[in-house]
Amino acid sequence: MGQCNHKNVVRCYTSFVEGTDLWLVMPLLNAGSCLDILQQNFFKGVKDECVIATIIKEVMNGLVYLHDNRKVHRDVKCGNFLMDMEGNVTISDFGVSTTLMRGQKCNDFAGSPCWMAPEVVKQTGHDFGADTWSLGVSAIELAQGQAPF
């Protein structure tokens, strides 16, 4: 996270340990996550397709940046899309992300089940495409107010 520098990827200015806690200093994204916004205001989903398209486009820009830098997020979902009061969208929560070398694939089971691509669930080897699948599920989540299945 500290190596990333893109407007749609949350910044980490610094980090420090106090006792057994790791603290990350990040920008204030005071509108909360898209999941928070859905649950508080749009529990049946966002009906304006332009709003959904705008959020997905911003997340996609962040994913393109990550993928160009060989990083796979592996937990793409509305709960990890943070917004500020101006409507800017950033991807957050890199707890299960990884970096892949060219041609390399992941074979482990990481992420949130409702958003996982089939190859992640089956553990047959996944790469950046797993984030794309999860982004599609997130679009459905935005439209319906919850993830399918």
Side-chain angles (χ1 to χ4, degrees), residues 40-111:
Q40 293 170 10
N41 303 298
F42 302 96
F43 50 90
K44 291 191 177 183
V46 176
K47 300 308 172 204
D48 187 338
E49 291 179 8
C50 290
V51 171
I52 295 170
T54 300
I55 292 169
I56 295 298
K57 178 183 178 260
E58 295 298 303
V59 173
M60 192 178 304
N61 288 339
L63 286 176
V64 166
Y65 170 81
L66 291 173
H67 295 173
D68 284 349
N69 286 280
R70 315 295 305 160
K71 296 179 185 339
V72 186
H73 187 279
R74 303 196 318 166
D75 201 17
V76 173
K77 61 183 179 180
C78 288
N80 291 335
F81 307 160
L82 301 181
M83 296 182 73
D84 64 18
M85 295 306 280
E86 287 76 43
N88 297 306
V89 182
T90 59
I91 304 169
S92 68
D93 192 351
F94 292 85
V96 294
S97 65
T98 191
T99 302
L100 295 179
M101 305 309 284
R102 295 208 187 281
Q104 184 183 10
K105 293 196 178 236
C106 300
N107 290 311
D108 57 345
F109 189 83

Side-chain angles (χ1 to χ4, degrees), residues 10 23 37 82 85 90 113 118 123:
V10 72
W23 291 82
I37 295 166
L82 301 181
M85 295 306 280
T90 59
Q123 298 179 23

Side-chain angles (χ1 to χ4, degrees), residues 34-35 38 45 52 55-56 59-60 63 75-79 81 112-121 129-149:
C34 284
L35 179 61
L38 280 173
I52 295 170
I55 292 169
I56 295 298
V59 173
M60 192 178 304
L63 286 176
D75 201 17
V76 173
K77 61 183 179 180
C78 288
F81 307 160
S112 299
C114 287
W115 293 265
M116 282 183 183
E119 61 270 25
V120 178
V121 174
D131 283 348
T132 305
W133 174 281
S134 300
L135 184 61
V137 174
S138 299
I140 295 169
E141 181 182 15
L142 286 167
Q144 296 181 348
Q146 62 184 14
F149 311 115

Side-chain angles (χ1 to χ4, degrees), residues 11-31:
R11 296 290 314 255
C12 179
Y13 299 124
T14 190
S15 62
F16 58 92
V17 175
E18 188 167 313
T20 59
D21 296 326
L22 172 64
W23 291 82
L24 303 174
V25 179
M26 306 181 323
L28 177 62
L29 298 163
N30 51 346

